Amino acid sequence: MSPRAQVYILAALLALMGAGLTVYKHFELGFPLLPGEYRTVWTIEAKVRFNADGGPVKAALTLPRAQRNMEVLGETFSSSGYGFNIIREDDEYRAVWARRAASGAQSLFYQLDVHQTPGAALEQPLDLSTQVTKPFLGAREQEAVRLAIYSLVDSARERSSDTKTFTTELLTALGDKRNQDRNLIFGFYKDRSLVDVALLVLAAAEIPAHRIRGLYLEDDRRRLDPEDLLEIYDGKRWVVFEPTSGSPGVPKNFFIWQRGGKSLLDVEGGRNSGVTFSVISNDVPARDVAMLSTSQEKEALVDFSIYSLPIEQQSIFKLILLVPVGALVVVLLRVFVGLRTSGTFMPVLLAIAFIETQLLTGLSIFVLILILGLWVRFYLSRLNLLLVARIAAVVVTVVILMGAISVVSYKLGIEQALTVTFFPMIILAWTIERMSIVWEEDGPYEVVVQAGGSLLVAVLAWWVMTNRFIEHWTFNFPELLLVLLGVIMIVGNYTGYRLGELARFRQLVR
């Protein structure tokens, strides 16, 4: 296989690998492709309150299960003076607060941050009990209620074709205040909610069902009681219903806190207990949300990456990752355009310095140091110094010039010029040495051409490297550097004419 074919195959593999990892991070891990994207994060706070009797106290709050469309990014517990742990009971997780002695009003807090993701809320199949316990309605005074319940059941069965449509008809009837059977049932169960009565009637119809407790995610809501949905088993799968409308499916903004199981809150050693909820929304950068979600799952692609470094090192790599982009600009301009520069990748280092110093300030400082350095270098050449000593002298001169520029600019109140220290002094010294040699061998015109070409390439590289999209992609998707490497390898195979050569030989072409 020829070297050219190997280059194309290797470049294609690198590009596919980089693009594949980028697509995976975007769609699976949630990293944003565009800068400035935000995600809504809901902060839910549960407040447990009760009056302690003065002795030992124990409070247990059921915690929400994992959901397909709701991702828990973090949780915190507040319990001053209480011991705390999380236990598992009957396939449920419960937060347990305990204290040896407490009296008076007590408040305990549990807070979690939730990010809503696309997809279905519930996952099938579910390992939930399908056992049905029929209500006991044996007393004489309950006979009318029993007849009303079975009348509703029979009426709903006549108007439905399966368990799902039966439940819809039943909930519609229970919500119709003109229905006499419904009024009789609610008149007997005065302290029961719609879901309580629906569970009673469904049990009479021998349909497995249970309650779902949760919250509607709406901004700035306080002291909320949990709201109920109804979930029934149709013989194959569990189906959720909104009890008021009777429509199947979990509402899009509904966060499920508890699904079946025992009570939401149990308190021992206290009375008048209850739990209320508060909800507030926050707009958080999409990258932060992705980082929080992947930290929970310990994704290897993120755990063993730049994101695992300390913040100080991350900020350094944020600049370093832009260097390959500048290198690509240099390659394109030298291979396709034919611009002559002083050194191959010296413009990239200048572009990095321009990022820190601002463009106009950096250009002015560079030209000033270059002119003064060349003047000093020409004087040193008359002293017949050895090469190493001459370059060392130029380095010292550059340092002195940088210090002088900083002091003078500070005294004049030009703060931007203080960033002269971001210029790589060794590169400046070597550039001055190289330019002086070019002046002696090829004349001042070639110095102007190479210096102008270097500055032009540096400015173009600076313009590309400071693009907000480029900065975002290189830092959040460093895998794209593999694609960039593949492009550079393909460009390196180009052997055609450069634009500069076409302009140079245009008379010959004619």
Side-chain angles (χ1 to χ4, degrees), residues 25 29-32 73 285-295 302:
K25 286 182 67 174
L29 304 185
F31 281 80
L73 302 178
R287 178 183 171 273
D288 294 345
V289 175
M291 289 295 297
L292 287 172
S293 61
T294 52
S295 65
V302 178

Side-chain angles (χ1 to χ4, degrees), residues 306 316-325 474-476 478 481:
I306 296 172
I316 295 174
F317 269 99
K318 189 173 184 179
L319 186 61
I320 292 176
L321 289 171
L322 292 172
V323 173
V325 178
T474 53
F475 184 67
N476 293 284
L481 295 182

